[in-house]
Short mmCIF file of all heavy atoms in Angstrom, two decimals:
data_model
loop_
_atom_site.label_atom_id
_atom_site.label_comp_id
_atom_site.label_asym_id
_atom_site.label_seq_id
_atom_site.Cartn_x
_atom_site.Cartn_y
_atom_site.Cartn_z
N MET A 1 -13.39 -11.56 -16.01
CA MET A 1 -13.62 -10.89 -14.71
C MET A 1 -12.70 -11.55 -13.61
O MET A 1 -12.43 -12.70 -13.59
CB MET A 1 -15.07 -10.95 -14.35
CG MET A 1 -15.99 -10.19 -15.17
SD MET A 1 -15.90 -8.48 -14.91
CE MET A 1 -17.09 -8.19 -13.49
N GLY A 2 -12.27 -10.66 -12.78
CA GLY A 2 -11.46 -11.09 -11.61
C GLY A 2 -11.86 -10.25 -10.46
O GLY A 2 -12.80 -9.53 -10.50
N SER A 3 -11.17 -10.37 -9.36
CA SER A 3 -11.43 -9.49 -8.21
C SER A 3 -10.20 -8.75 -7.77
O SER A 3 -9.09 -9.15 -7.92
CB SER A 3 -12.03 -10.27 -7.10
OG SER A 3 -11.04 -11.30 -6.75
N CYS A 4 -10.45 -7.43 -7.47
CA CYS A 4 -9.44 -6.54 -7.02
C CYS A 4 -8.69 -7.10 -5.82
O CYS A 4 -9.38 -7.40 -4.79
CB CYS A 4 -10.06 -5.28 -6.72
SG CYS A 4 -8.96 -4.01 -6.12
N PRO A 5 -7.39 -7.23 -5.85
CA PRO A 5 -6.68 -7.58 -4.71
C PRO A 5 -6.69 -6.85 -3.45
O PRO A 5 -6.52 -7.21 -2.38
CB PRO A 5 -5.11 -7.76 -5.24
CG PRO A 5 -5.21 -7.66 -6.65
CD PRO A 5 -6.50 -6.93 -6.98
N GLN A 6 -7.05 -5.55 -3.72
CA GLN A 6 -7.14 -4.56 -2.55
C GLN A 6 -8.51 -4.49 -1.96
O GLN A 6 -8.50 -4.59 -0.80
CB GLN A 6 -6.70 -3.16 -3.19
CG GLN A 6 -6.81 -2.18 -2.18
CD GLN A 6 -5.70 -2.32 -1.02
OE1 GLN A 6 -6.13 -2.31 0.07
NE2 GLN A 6 -4.52 -2.75 -1.35
N CYS A 7 -9.52 -4.43 -2.80
CA CYS A 7 -10.79 -4.22 -2.11
C CYS A 7 -11.71 -5.40 -2.43
O CYS A 7 -12.80 -5.51 -1.74
CB CYS A 7 -11.41 -2.85 -2.54
SG CYS A 7 -11.96 -2.95 -4.22
N GLY A 8 -11.42 -6.30 -3.38
CA GLY A 8 -12.21 -7.51 -3.54
C GLY A 8 -13.31 -7.30 -4.55
O GLY A 8 -14.12 -8.25 -4.83
N GLN A 9 -13.50 -6.11 -5.06
CA GLN A 9 -14.52 -5.93 -6.00
C GLN A 9 -14.22 -6.55 -7.35
O GLN A 9 -13.11 -6.82 -7.67
CB GLN A 9 -14.67 -4.39 -6.29
CG GLN A 9 -15.52 -3.54 -5.44
CD GLN A 9 -15.83 -2.17 -6.13
OE1 GLN A 9 -16.98 -1.91 -6.33
NE2 GLN A 9 -14.84 -1.42 -6.41
N SER A 10 -15.32 -6.96 -8.01
CA SER A 10 -15.03 -7.53 -9.38
C SER A 10 -14.56 -6.49 -10.27
O SER A 10 -14.83 -5.32 -10.23
CB SER A 10 -16.32 -8.08 -9.91
OG SER A 10 -17.32 -7.15 -9.99
N VAL A 11 -13.57 -6.96 -11.17
CA VAL A 11 -12.74 -5.94 -11.99
C VAL A 11 -12.55 -6.65 -13.32
O VAL A 11 -12.30 -7.87 -13.39
CB VAL A 11 -11.52 -5.51 -11.20
CG1 VAL A 11 -10.65 -6.75 -10.89
CG2 VAL A 11 -10.68 -4.57 -11.94
N ARG A 12 -12.46 -5.91 -14.33
CA ARG A 12 -12.13 -6.38 -15.68
C ARG A 12 -10.66 -6.54 -15.82
O ARG A 12 -9.88 -5.61 -15.52
CB ARG A 12 -12.54 -5.43 -16.74
CG ARG A 12 -13.98 -5.49 -17.12
CD ARG A 12 -14.31 -4.42 -18.09
NE ARG A 12 -14.17 -5.01 -19.50
CZ ARG A 12 -15.04 -5.33 -20.27
NH1 ARG A 12 -16.26 -5.02 -19.98
NH2 ARG A 12 -14.76 -5.86 -21.38
N LEU A 13 -10.20 -7.78 -16.18
CA LEU A 13 -8.67 -7.89 -16.31
C LEU A 13 -8.36 -7.85 -17.86
O LEU A 13 -7.79 -8.77 -18.31
CB LEU A 13 -8.36 -9.22 -15.71
CG LEU A 13 -8.62 -9.39 -14.26
CD1 LEU A 13 -8.33 -10.85 -13.68
CD2 LEU A 13 -7.75 -8.37 -13.46
N ASP A 14 -8.71 -6.82 -18.45
CA ASP A 14 -8.21 -6.63 -19.89
C ASP A 14 -7.72 -5.29 -20.13
O ASP A 14 -7.62 -4.54 -19.18
CB ASP A 14 -9.35 -6.96 -20.89
CG ASP A 14 -10.52 -6.21 -20.70
OD1 ASP A 14 -10.40 -4.99 -20.31
OD2 ASP A 14 -11.70 -6.70 -21.01
N GLU A 15 -7.36 -5.00 -21.31
CA GLU A 15 -6.64 -3.79 -21.59
C GLU A 15 -7.54 -2.55 -21.50
O GLU A 15 -6.99 -1.38 -21.57
CB GLU A 15 -5.93 -3.81 -22.94
CG GLU A 15 -6.83 -3.88 -24.15
CD GLU A 15 -7.24 -5.41 -24.36
OE1 GLU A 15 -6.78 -6.31 -23.58
OE2 GLU A 15 -8.01 -5.62 -25.26
N THR A 16 -8.78 -2.72 -21.35
CA THR A 16 -9.61 -1.53 -21.04
C THR A 16 -9.49 -1.05 -19.61
O THR A 16 -9.98 0.08 -19.29
CB THR A 16 -11.15 -1.85 -21.28
OG1 THR A 16 -11.52 -2.93 -20.35
CG2 THR A 16 -11.41 -2.39 -22.68
N ASN A 17 -8.82 -1.78 -18.77
CA ASN A 17 -8.64 -1.47 -17.39
C ASN A 17 -7.18 -1.12 -17.18
O ASN A 17 -6.39 -2.06 -17.02
CB ASN A 17 -9.20 -2.51 -16.44
CG ASN A 17 -8.75 -2.25 -15.00
OD1 ASN A 17 -8.51 -1.09 -14.70
ND2 ASN A 17 -9.04 -3.13 -14.08
N PRO A 18 -6.82 0.21 -17.12
CA PRO A 18 -5.38 0.52 -16.96
C PRO A 18 -4.81 0.16 -15.57
O PRO A 18 -3.64 0.17 -15.41
CB PRO A 18 -5.35 2.10 -17.20
CG PRO A 18 -6.74 2.52 -16.92
CD PRO A 18 -7.66 1.39 -17.17
N TRP A 19 -5.77 -0.11 -14.57
CA TRP A 19 -5.31 -0.36 -13.23
C TRP A 19 -5.22 -1.86 -12.95
O TRP A 19 -5.08 -2.20 -11.76
CB TRP A 19 -6.15 0.37 -12.31
CG TRP A 19 -6.47 1.74 -12.63
CD1 TRP A 19 -7.72 2.34 -13.05
CD2 TRP A 19 -5.49 2.77 -12.88
NE1 TRP A 19 -7.59 3.66 -13.32
CE2 TRP A 19 -6.19 3.95 -13.22
CE3 TRP A 19 -4.15 2.89 -12.79
CZ2 TRP A 19 -5.67 5.22 -13.54
CZ3 TRP A 19 -3.54 4.06 -13.11
CH2 TRP A 19 -4.27 5.20 -13.47
N ARG A 20 -5.58 -2.66 -13.92
CA ARG A 20 -5.61 -4.05 -13.58
C ARG A 20 -4.31 -4.58 -12.93
O ARG A 20 -3.28 -4.00 -13.26
CB ARG A 20 -6.00 -4.91 -14.83
CG ARG A 20 -4.77 -4.97 -15.98
CD ARG A 20 -5.38 -5.61 -17.10
NE ARG A 20 -4.17 -5.77 -18.10
CZ ARG A 20 -3.80 -4.87 -18.87
NH1 ARG A 20 -4.42 -3.67 -18.94
NH2 ARG A 20 -2.89 -5.10 -19.80
N PRO A 21 -4.30 -5.50 -12.04
CA PRO A 21 -5.50 -6.32 -11.63
C PRO A 21 -6.32 -5.51 -10.53
O PRO A 21 -7.17 -6.19 -9.93
CB PRO A 21 -4.80 -7.58 -10.97
CG PRO A 21 -3.56 -7.07 -10.37
CD PRO A 21 -3.06 -5.91 -11.33
N PHE A 22 -6.08 -4.25 -10.31
CA PHE A 22 -6.92 -3.48 -9.38
C PHE A 22 -8.13 -2.86 -10.10
O PHE A 22 -8.06 -2.77 -11.41
CB PHE A 22 -5.98 -2.51 -8.76
CG PHE A 22 -4.82 -3.04 -8.04
CD1 PHE A 22 -3.66 -2.98 -8.73
CD2 PHE A 22 -4.99 -3.57 -6.88
CE1 PHE A 22 -2.48 -3.55 -8.05
CE2 PHE A 22 -3.86 -4.11 -6.25
CZ PHE A 22 -2.64 -4.13 -6.87
N CYS A 23 -9.03 -2.41 -9.36
CA CYS A 23 -10.25 -1.83 -10.01
C CYS A 23 -10.07 -0.40 -10.29
O CYS A 23 -10.62 0.12 -11.24
CB CYS A 23 -11.57 -2.01 -9.02
SG CYS A 23 -11.37 -1.19 -7.44
N THR A 24 -9.31 0.32 -9.47
CA THR A 24 -9.02 1.79 -9.68
C THR A 24 -7.57 2.10 -9.46
O THR A 24 -6.87 1.35 -8.76
CB THR A 24 -9.95 2.57 -8.71
OG1 THR A 24 -9.64 2.20 -7.49
CG2 THR A 24 -11.39 2.33 -9.00
N GLU A 25 -7.22 3.30 -9.79
CA GLU A 25 -5.87 3.85 -9.42
C GLU A 25 -5.78 3.85 -7.95
O GLU A 25 -4.65 3.53 -7.38
CB GLU A 25 -5.81 5.29 -9.95
CG GLU A 25 -4.37 5.81 -9.67
CD GLU A 25 -4.23 7.19 -10.18
OE1 GLU A 25 -5.19 7.90 -10.49
OE2 GLU A 25 -3.08 7.59 -10.38
N ARG A 26 -6.74 4.19 -7.22
CA ARG A 26 -6.73 4.28 -5.78
C ARG A 26 -6.31 2.96 -5.14
O ARG A 26 -5.49 2.93 -4.30
CB ARG A 26 -8.19 4.62 -5.28
CG ARG A 26 -8.10 5.14 -3.82
CD ARG A 26 -9.59 5.71 -3.55
NE ARG A 26 -10.09 4.90 -2.50
CZ ARG A 26 -10.04 5.04 -1.21
NH1 ARG A 26 -9.42 6.21 -0.82
NH2 ARG A 26 -10.48 4.36 -0.28
N CYS A 27 -6.90 1.87 -5.68
CA CYS A 27 -6.62 0.51 -5.05
C CYS A 27 -5.23 0.21 -5.46
O CYS A 27 -4.45 -0.36 -4.60
CB CYS A 27 -7.58 -0.52 -5.58
SG CYS A 27 -9.12 -0.50 -4.70
N LYS A 28 -4.78 0.43 -6.64
CA LYS A 28 -3.37 0.19 -6.99
C LYS A 28 -2.38 0.92 -6.16
O LYS A 28 -1.50 0.28 -5.64
CB LYS A 28 -3.18 0.68 -8.45
CG LYS A 28 -1.84 0.24 -8.97
CD LYS A 28 -1.69 0.62 -10.41
CE LYS A 28 -0.28 0.27 -10.98
NZ LYS A 28 -0.11 0.44 -12.32
N LEU A 29 -2.70 2.19 -5.97
CA LEU A 29 -1.79 2.99 -5.06
C LEU A 29 -1.77 2.51 -3.66
O LEU A 29 -0.74 2.47 -2.99
CB LEU A 29 -2.08 4.51 -5.15
CG LEU A 29 -1.84 5.15 -6.42
CD1 LEU A 29 -2.38 6.61 -6.49
CD2 LEU A 29 -0.37 5.12 -6.79
N LEU A 30 -2.96 2.11 -3.13
CA LEU A 30 -2.99 1.55 -1.79
C LEU A 30 -2.23 0.36 -1.68
O LEU A 30 -1.50 0.17 -0.64
CB LEU A 30 -4.52 1.32 -1.45
CG LEU A 30 -5.33 2.55 -1.01
CD1 LEU A 30 -6.77 2.13 -0.85
CD2 LEU A 30 -4.79 3.13 0.31
N ASP A 31 -2.27 -0.44 -2.62
CA ASP A 31 -1.55 -1.80 -2.62
C ASP A 31 -0.08 -1.53 -2.64
O ASP A 31 0.65 -2.11 -1.89
CB ASP A 31 -1.95 -2.65 -3.69
CG ASP A 31 -1.56 -4.08 -3.50
OD1 ASP A 31 -2.18 -4.79 -2.70
OD2 ASP A 31 -0.54 -4.44 -4.14
N LEU A 32 0.36 -0.78 -3.52
CA LEU A 32 1.79 -0.23 -3.57
C LEU A 32 2.25 0.22 -2.23
O LEU A 32 3.31 0.03 -1.79
CB LEU A 32 1.98 0.58 -4.74
CG LEU A 32 1.98 0.11 -6.12
CD1 LEU A 32 2.19 1.12 -7.18
CD2 LEU A 32 3.11 -0.97 -6.28
N GLY A 33 1.48 1.07 -1.70
CA GLY A 33 1.75 1.78 -0.46
C GLY A 33 1.92 0.67 0.60
O GLY A 33 2.99 0.85 1.41
N GLU A 34 1.09 -0.28 0.69
CA GLU A 34 1.36 -1.28 1.70
C GLU A 34 2.56 -2.06 1.41
O GLU A 34 3.35 -2.39 2.30
CB GLU A 34 0.11 -2.21 1.75
CG GLU A 34 -1.03 -1.60 2.29
CD GLU A 34 -2.25 -2.51 2.19
OE1 GLU A 34 -2.17 -3.67 1.92
OE2 GLU A 34 -3.44 -2.04 2.51
N TRP A 35 2.87 -2.40 0.20
CA TRP A 35 3.97 -3.14 -0.16
C TRP A 35 5.27 -2.38 0.27
O TRP A 35 6.17 -2.89 0.83
CB TRP A 35 3.92 -3.39 -1.65
CG TRP A 35 4.94 -4.28 -2.10
CD1 TRP A 35 4.97 -5.60 -2.06
CD2 TRP A 35 6.37 -3.96 -2.64
NE1 TRP A 35 6.19 -6.21 -2.58
CE2 TRP A 35 7.04 -5.20 -3.04
CE3 TRP A 35 6.97 -2.74 -2.84
CZ2 TRP A 35 8.27 -5.19 -3.44
CZ3 TRP A 35 8.28 -2.85 -3.37
CH2 TRP A 35 8.87 -3.97 -3.72
N PHE A 36 5.30 -1.07 -0.14
CA PHE A 36 6.40 -0.24 0.22
C PHE A 36 6.69 -0.13 1.73
O PHE A 36 7.84 -0.34 2.24
CB PHE A 36 6.28 1.14 -0.34
CG PHE A 36 6.93 1.22 -1.76
CD1 PHE A 36 6.01 1.36 -2.77
CD2 PHE A 36 8.24 1.26 -1.94
CE1 PHE A 36 6.51 1.42 -4.13
CE2 PHE A 36 8.78 1.35 -3.33
CZ PHE A 36 7.92 1.40 -4.31
N SER A 37 5.57 0.13 2.46
CA SER A 37 5.82 0.32 3.93
C SER A 37 6.18 -0.91 4.57
O SER A 37 6.94 -1.03 5.55
CB SER A 37 4.49 0.81 4.41
OG SER A 37 3.46 -0.08 4.29
N GLY A 38 5.75 -2.05 3.99
CA GLY A 38 6.13 -3.37 4.54
C GLY A 38 7.67 -3.69 4.25
O GLY A 38 8.42 -4.16 5.04
N SER A 39 8.05 -3.39 3.00
CA SER A 39 9.37 -3.79 2.62
C SER A 39 10.50 -2.85 3.16
O SER A 39 11.58 -3.22 3.43
CB SER A 39 9.59 -3.85 1.00
OG SER A 39 8.70 -4.76 0.49
N PHE A 40 10.06 -1.58 3.32
CA PHE A 40 11.09 -0.58 3.56
C PHE A 40 10.99 -0.18 5.17
O PHE A 40 11.50 0.87 5.55
CB PHE A 40 11.02 0.59 2.75
CG PHE A 40 11.50 0.30 1.35
CD1 PHE A 40 10.58 -0.14 0.47
CD2 PHE A 40 12.90 0.36 1.14
CE1 PHE A 40 11.06 -0.46 -0.93
CE2 PHE A 40 13.32 0.09 -0.21
CZ PHE A 40 12.46 -0.27 -1.15
N ALA A 41 10.33 -0.94 5.99
CA ALA A 41 10.15 -0.57 7.30
C ALA A 41 11.49 -0.85 7.92
O ALA A 41 12.07 -2.04 8.03
CB ALA A 41 9.10 -1.51 7.99
N ILE A 42 12.15 0.26 8.49
CA ILE A 42 13.43 0.12 9.05
C ILE A 42 13.29 0.29 10.58
O ILE A 42 12.66 1.20 11.04
CB ILE A 42 14.33 1.20 8.54
CG1 ILE A 42 14.51 1.22 7.00
CG2 ILE A 42 15.69 1.23 9.23
CD1 ILE A 42 15.05 2.46 6.38
N PRO A 43 13.77 -0.74 11.29
CA PRO A 43 13.70 -0.72 12.75
C PRO A 43 14.49 0.44 13.33
O PRO A 43 15.59 0.73 12.87
CB PRO A 43 14.33 -2.03 13.25
CG PRO A 43 14.94 -2.69 12.08
CD PRO A 43 14.40 -1.95 10.83
N SER A 44 13.82 1.19 14.24
CA SER A 44 14.47 2.40 14.62
C SER A 44 15.35 2.06 15.92
O SER A 44 15.02 1.27 16.86
CB SER A 44 13.43 3.40 15.14
OG SER A 44 13.98 4.52 15.75
N ASP A 45 16.48 2.68 16.07
CA ASP A 45 17.42 2.50 17.20
C ASP A 45 17.08 3.54 18.27
O ASP A 45 17.57 3.32 19.36
CB ASP A 45 18.90 2.70 16.76
CG ASP A 45 19.42 1.59 15.94
OD1 ASP A 45 19.00 0.42 16.11
OD2 ASP A 45 20.19 1.84 14.96
N GLU A 46 16.20 4.41 18.01
CA GLU A 46 15.98 5.46 19.02
C GLU A 46 14.99 4.92 20.06
O GLU A 46 14.03 4.20 19.77
CB GLU A 46 15.31 6.69 18.38
CG GLU A 46 16.25 7.38 17.51
CD GLU A 46 15.60 8.60 16.86
OE1 GLU A 46 14.78 9.37 17.64
OE2 GLU A 46 15.76 8.94 15.65
N PRO A 47 15.16 5.15 21.37
CA PRO A 47 14.42 4.74 22.38
C PRO A 47 13.12 5.50 22.37
O PRO A 47 12.98 6.63 21.74
CB PRO A 47 15.14 5.14 23.65
CG PRO A 47 16.10 6.24 23.26
CD PRO A 47 16.42 6.09 21.84
N PRO A 48 12.05 4.91 22.85
CA PRO A 48 10.78 5.73 22.88
C PRO A 48 10.70 6.90 23.64
O PRO A 48 11.70 6.97 24.66
CB PRO A 48 9.80 4.57 23.44
CG PRO A 48 10.66 3.67 24.19
CD PRO A 48 11.85 3.63 23.42
N HIS A 49 9.91 7.86 23.29
CA HIS A 49 9.87 9.07 24.12
C HIS A 49 9.29 8.99 25.42
O HIS A 49 8.50 8.01 25.64
CB HIS A 49 9.08 10.13 23.22
CG HIS A 49 9.70 10.50 22.07
ND1 HIS A 49 10.69 11.41 21.97
CD2 HIS A 49 9.33 10.05 20.66
CE1 HIS A 49 10.96 11.53 20.59
NE2 HIS A 49 10.21 10.80 19.85
N GLY A 50 9.65 9.79 26.33
CA GLY A 50 8.93 10.05 27.51
C GLY A 50 9.18 8.85 28.53
O GLY A 50 8.35 8.47 29.37
N ASP A 51 10.42 8.39 28.62
CA ASP A 51 10.69 7.35 29.62
C ASP A 51 10.90 8.02 31.00
O ASP A 51 10.78 7.46 32.03
CB ASP A 51 11.88 6.51 29.26
CG ASP A 51 13.21 7.37 29.09
OD1 ASP A 51 13.16 8.34 28.28
OD2 ASP A 51 14.14 7.09 29.69
N GLY A 52 11.36 9.33 30.93
CA GLY A 52 11.38 10.19 32.11
C GLY A 52 12.57 9.84 33.15
O GLY A 52 12.64 10.42 34.18
N SER A 53 13.34 8.97 32.63
CA SER A 53 14.52 8.67 33.50
C SER A 53 15.80 9.50 33.13
O SER A 53 16.16 9.60 31.94
CB SER A 53 14.91 7.21 33.48
OG SER A 53 15.20 6.87 32.21
N GLY A 54 16.46 10.14 33.99
CA GLY A 54 17.67 10.82 33.77
C GLY A 54 17.54 12.23 33.02
O GLY A 54 18.54 12.78 32.75
N THR A 55 16.31 12.62 32.85
CA THR A 55 16.19 14.01 32.29
C THR A 55 16.41 15.02 33.37
O THR A 55 16.13 14.73 34.56
CB THR A 55 14.77 14.23 31.70
OG1 THR A 55 13.85 13.81 32.60
CG2 THR A 55 14.63 13.36 30.51
N ARG A 56 17.01 16.16 33.04
CA ARG A 56 17.37 17.17 33.95
C ARG A 56 18.64 16.82 34.80
O ARG A 56 18.52 16.07 35.65
CB ARG A 56 16.23 17.52 34.89
CG ARG A 56 15.51 18.72 34.49
CD ARG A 56 14.76 19.33 35.64
NE ARG A 56 13.36 19.03 35.46
CZ ARG A 56 12.43 19.52 36.20
NH1 ARG A 56 12.75 20.22 37.26
NH2 ARG A 56 11.25 19.22 35.97
ZN1 LIG B 1 -10.33 -2.24 -5.70
#
């Protein structure tokens, strides 16, 4: 037994669990999603909207 890195629930870490070390597919996808969004976060060069200067 171990604990899911995503939600902390106890989880089986053997071949009966296709999502190990996560408890469910959902937790696995959530964790991957966080990893991707963290790694591929590209800083934007565009200025924020609504500064209101120089329009018109
Ligand atoms: Zn989980």
Side-chain angles (χ1 to χ4, degrees):
M1 290 286 272
S3 56
C4 174
Q6 181 58 230
C7 72
Q9 273 196 119
S10 57
V11 60
R12 285 181 83 108
L13 298 176
D14 60 30
E15 65 277 0
T16 64
N17 175 10
W19 315 118
R20 68 186 188 279
F22 304 97
C23 64
T24 59
E25 182 180 20
R26 195 173 116 92
C27 281
K28 183 177 180 172
L29 291 177
L30 280 173
D31 192 79
L32 282 177
E34 284 177 12
W35 188 85
F36 271 107
S37 60
S39 294
F40 290 92
I42 300 166
S44 174
D45 289 324
E46 291 181 42
H49 293 284
D51 61 306
S53 60
T55 50
R56 261 200 256 185

